[in-house]
Amino acid sequence: MTFSIIIPTYNRPEILKECLHALEQLNYPKEDMEIIISDDGSADINQPIVNLFSNLPILFISGTNSGPATARNRGARMANGDWLVFIDDDCRPDTAFLSQVIPHLQTGLLLGGKTTNIEKSIYSTASQVLVDYIYRYFNKKDPVFFTSNNMVVSKNIFLEKGGFDETFPLAAAEDRQFCREWIQSGKKLKYIPAAIIYHAHHLTRKGFWKQQKNYGRGAKLFHKVVNEQGGKIPMEGLGFYFGLLFFPFRIKGIGLFRRFRLSGLMFISQLANISGYFSKSYP
């Protein structure tokens, strides 16, 4: 069983370094995996980091700055493994990640694992809370969406489908579009909660707003692509938004004040999303 772990990266050498440290700890034979660093046009700063990890089977490739969807596809085309594992440079797989995935591998399945925030910033926590809510809301029966920082798929099927839509220039909605097309082709998604990725994406207040605004921009492009394909994305009812605002109060192990702060950030996330959706330019 061979895996190609594909990591898009752009101008974040120290973050990439931590990711590679985590990959060193994977409880899986190194000869049965490869790590593809798909550099998205960084300023010659990532190759020296990669050179520090001569013990890992790393392939370093680079291209012009075109966004993570293009970088992931570039890596997939160079992959030698039977299965593609998509993570981000700010992700740190659990040591048992690949071992947890193996029992569920099927050609027609798109697998997604559990992503856990390990940053202390309230904004990083809020970003993960939002994703957790979306997973619970949309994946409560048959899963319909996985984020592209924790995704496993057959290389052959991925390439046959053309990979991620490269018209999405930001890290926003390209995974949503891929999952939609995967389901439309008659295939299924399967959630593997034991396949854990630790997410170390540090966000400030400004970074959180930018991220959520980009999600709105991605949603706008996603709706445009779906409409051009003759489809339609229904608007979510008020229940979705009320559920989002109250979701922090359902999380165990955090204080009441933090719950209120997270609820407030859920509200702000939707304002940023709307701002991005109705912005005049994309990206």
Side-chain angles (χ1 to χ4, degrees):
M1 196 70 62
T2 56
F3 292 95
S4 294
I5 303 172
I6 299 173
I7 308 169
T9 189
Y10 179 67
N11 283 341
R12 302 203 294 188
E14 291 305 314
I15 291 174
L16 176 62
K17 183 178 179 180
E18 293 302 316
C19 177
L20 293 174
H21 273 310
L23 291 172
E24 282 185 310
Q25 309 305 315
L26 280 177
N27 185 18
Y28 196 76
K30 297 295 189 292
E31 61 271 19
D32 292 332
M33 70 179 197
E34 65 177 353
I35 299 164
I36 301 177
I37 308 297
S38 186
D39 190 290
D40 196 33
S42 300
D44 299 324
I45 57 176
N46 286 324
Q47 181 71 69
I49 294 296
V50 172
N51 292 341
L52 298 175
F53 295 86
S54 58
N55 58 319
L56 289 175
I58 298 178
L59 172 63
F60 182 85
I61 61 176
S62 61
T64 57
N65 182 230
S66 304
T70 299
R72 291 189 186 97
N73 289 347
R74 187 185 304 124
R77 288 190 292 269
M78 298 295 293
N80 296 301
D82 301 312
W83 300 92
L84 305 178
V85 179
F86 292 105
I87 65 173
D88 286 346
D89 59 3
D90 57 4
C91 292
R92 303 169 190 176
D94 183 77
T95 57
F97 180 84
L98 293 179
S99 300
Q100 294 293 343
V101 165
I102 287 175
H104 307 280
L105 293 174
Q106 294 182 37
T107 302
L109 283 180
L110 176 64
L111 304 179
K114 178 178 176 59
T115 302
T116 299
N117 170 58
I118 57 173
E119 282 285 338
K120 294 181 179 179
S121 161
I122 187 69
Y123 303 103
S124 299
T125 301
S127 179
Q128 185 60 54
V129 166
L130 181 62
V131 172
D132 290 345
Y133 175 73
I134 289 172
Y135 267 45
R136 181 173 296 192
Y137 186 87
F138 288 107
N139 296 343
K140 54 189 173 185
K141 294 182 179 179
D142 293 326
V144 297
F145 170 70
F146 294 141
T147 56
S148 53
N149 66 351
N150 191 339
M151 187 182 285
V152 181
V153 64
S154 161
K155 180 188 74 174
N156 290 337
I157 301 297
F158 180 84
L159 294 178
E160 285 175 10
K161 291 184 62 58
F164 292 103
D165 188 335
E166 296 183 10
T167 64
F168 289 79
L170 302 174
E174 83 288 356
D175 40 17
R176 192 176 174 188
Q177 171 65 4
F178 182 80
C179 291
R180 176 181 177 274
E181 291 185 344
W182 184 270
I183 292 171
Q184 282 193 324
S185 68
K187 299 178 177 60
K188 293 186 177 182
L189 283 66
K190 185 174 183 178
Y191 180 54
I192 316 296
I196 300 172
I197 293 287
Y198 301 104
H199 196 199
H201 187 181
H202 179 72
L203 285 173
T204 61
R205 179 174 58 184
K206 182 178 179 180
F208 179 74
W209 177 270
K210 180 179 179 181
Q211 180 195 61
Q212 300 303 315
K213 185 173 181 178
N214 283 345
Y215 287 166
R217 288 169 166 166
K220 181 178 181 179
L221 181 56
F222 175 64
H223 289 179
K224 179 177 180 290
V225 170
V226 171
N227 289 337
E228 289 174 349
Q229 294 175 345
K232 187 177 181 181
I233 305 298
M235 293 292 292
E236 297 300 328
L238 288 177
F240 171 83
Y241 298 100
F242 280 118
L244 176 62
L245 292 177
F246 285 100
F247 184 64
F249 296 95
R250 301 173 62 184
I251 301 173
K252 297 179 180 179
I254 61 174
L256 184 61
F257 178 67
R258 193 169 180 86
R259 294 175 193 268
F260 275 107
R261 287 191 69 191
L262 288 170
S263 179
L265 287 172
M266 294 302 99
F267 179 75
I268 290 172
S269 76
Q270 298 311 293
L271 293 180
N273 199 286
I274 292 169
S275 173
Y277 192 93
F278 291 103
S279 61
K280 294 182 180 179
S281 62
Y282 183 89

